[in-house]
Amino acid sequence: DALYRRYPVPDVFANTRWKWSADEIRAFQNEQFLDLMKTGWENEFYKRRWRAEGLEPGDIRSIDDIVKLPTFDSSDIKKDQEENPPFGLINGDVTTRMQTTPMKLQTSGGTTGKPRPTLYAPQEWELNGLTHARVLYIVGVRPGDRVQIPHTCSLGNAGWCCYKACHDYLGALPITTGTGAVTSSRRQIEIAQEWGTNVWYVRPEYATQLAKVARDELNFDVRDLRTKFLGCGLGPDTDNAFRNQLESLWGCDVYDMYGTHEMGMGAFECRHKSGMHFHEDSTFFEIVGVEDNKPVANGEIGNMVCTILHRRQQPMIRFNLRDLTRIVSVDRCECGSCFRRMQKMLGRSDTMVRIRGVSIWPQACLPAIKSDNRTTGEWLCIAERKVSDGVVRDEMTVKVEVRDDAGGWEGLKEHIEKRLHSDLGLRLNVELVPEDALIEWSNRGREGKPKRILDQRYEKK
């Protein structure tokens, strides 16, 4: 009961906290943050870092003082866990706590390296499902809906979050098919037809694959499923080309959602699709400079830093996600919510590469790739260092998959090269490849997020 007073269930949330004023939200965040700081000062990981900065408990009097605390990122967690295996100082004395407290182990997606373990005590695990349930409720899931989840319930977190949301909070039927590696794409569509799927929580790239398989192998148009909506992480789809393609293929709305395995659902679109609302009462977000970690003004691009207000097992206080975005609105939305809104996630600053002095984020290629419907939407950036006549020059080639039924490749290479130059400010080489040529790096051929960059400049020859 205490948990649900602090974090209301979906229908209560939609009619109360979701409509709070900015001042009410800030007051709640301040209360939760100060309580979280007590946990932080009892945690050896934070205590050492904060004392190294000359801080003492009395120095942090409100959430306005949060900028005094140093940020940290996934590399700091990895270092902590390597030096204090297996779970690090950040998780405390796990062996002792497990004697009295049920625990759940999940891992990061391994986007930037080896997946790192994250532990959940009951409250953290419950909020994983609850935050997701609120989002699905806001965009229209109701009791009796049937939600297909092509994310495997394994060490990754997405499938579990959606399963718990549907099963525990929404009265919706979770259909946990897992990825295409677990349940073939053909069978995914057959299940949707047979069991009445009307909502999908799915990676957007896989949604295009499902539509193709339905058409080519089953002679079926996925629009005939009469889907309510797709919930996706659209990434840097800044001109909505990817969304528009998906909405045309499926004949339904597509809502952008952003989350991590630590926080659950962190930001999401409402039905007005006018920016992604931060999940303000469960996580406090800041946008900081990529180089100096100092807060930037609203509207400026920077790294997302999150403080997860409900986490006590593996607390996350000023965790630099290194996901790039900017705040686009602090005003009340047409939906009635004052939860601040961010732009789409623009890429990861830790996958940024510099080519001839220009910073390139591989994810920023998406609008160019999706600007021509002959592509499958899959791409891979390859950075190389070439030497000619003693001159060293960095080059980047963008491999782009072309659909088997594209009809012809004429002008496509030139079109994408021109659009990339316009979007990124640098001329890149485009190499067109057949459909499925990049399956090794996509989530069609493996679990998890697609890989978008291979930096071969520093590999030993």
Side-chain angles (χ1 to χ4, degrees), residues 54 125 272 282 296 389:
W125 191 238
H272 294 277
S282 65
V296 302
D389 297 327

Side-chain angles (χ1 to χ4, degrees), residues 10-222:
D11 55 340
V12 177
F13 169 80
N15 291 302
T16 56
R17 191 165 298 164
W18 179 241
K19 304 293 179 63
W20 273 6
S21 69
D23 288 342
E24 288 175 303
I25 294 165
R26 186 71 171 190
F28 180 82
Q29 290 174 331
N30 185 64
E31 174 191 317
Q32 298 304 306
F33 172 70
L34 292 178
D35 185 67
L36 173 62
M37 285 300 297
K38 298 173 186 176
T39 300
W41 278 112
E42 295 169 354
N43 183 290
E44 199 62 32
F45 175 84
Y46 289 103
K47 193 186 302 182
R48 293 182 184 183
R49 295 179 65 82
W50 295 345
R51 289 221 159 113
E53 296 289 324
L55 293 169
E56 295 296 332
D59 296 333
I60 309 299
R61 299 176 181 275
S62 77
I63 200 167
D64 295 332
D65 294 327
I66 197 170
V67 294
K68 297 178 181 179
L69 301 171
T71 64
F72 69 104
D73 59 31
S74 59
S75 65
D76 296 304
I77 298 179
K78 290 175 184 176
K79 184 173 185 290
D80 174 39
Q81 293 179 337
E82 287 168 359
E83 294 176 351
N84 306 279
F87 304 121
L89 296 175
I90 195 169
N91 271 295
D93 186 350
V94 174
T95 301
T96 299
R97 192 167 190 199
M98 282 181 61
Q99 295 175 16
T100 58
T101 303
M103 303 285 264
K104 185 80 168 68
L105 173 66
Q106 301 296 131
T107 69
S108 65
T111 305
T112 58
K114 183 179 178 181
R116 62 187 184 280
T118 298
L119 287 170
Y120 301 74
Q123 176 169 292
E124 289 76 25
W125 191 238
E126 207 58 38
L127 264 293
N128 249 354
L130 180 51
T131 56
H132 202 112
R134 289 166 160 193
V135 172
L136 294 179
Y137 185 86
I138 291 293
V139 293
V141 170
R142 293 295 183 270
D145 284 337
R146 301 168 194 192
V147 182
Q148 195 151 328
I149 309 170
H151 295 263
T152 304
C153 291
S154 58
L155 288 174
N157 209 23
W160 290 105
C161 288
C162 193
Y163 158 74
K164 278 187 65 64
C166 296
H167 183 270
D168 295 1
Y169 291 104
L170 295 171
L173 178 68
I175 304 174
T176 51
T177 49
T179 65
V182 176
T183 304
S184 72
S185 299
R186 179 189 177 105
R187 184 59 188 146
Q188 299 264 7
I189 296 298
E190 290 173 340
I191 286 172
Q193 292 175 292
E194 294 165 7
W195 298 350
T197 298
N198 69 336
V199 174
W200 294 74
Y201 179 60
V202 59
R203 295 196 188 278
E205 300 89 353
Y206 190 50
T208 63
Q209 174 74 1
L210 288 169
K212 177 181 182 299
V213 168
R215 182 192 67 225
D216 295 348
E217 298 185 21
L218 296 169
N219 194 29
F220 178 74
D221 189 331
V222 292

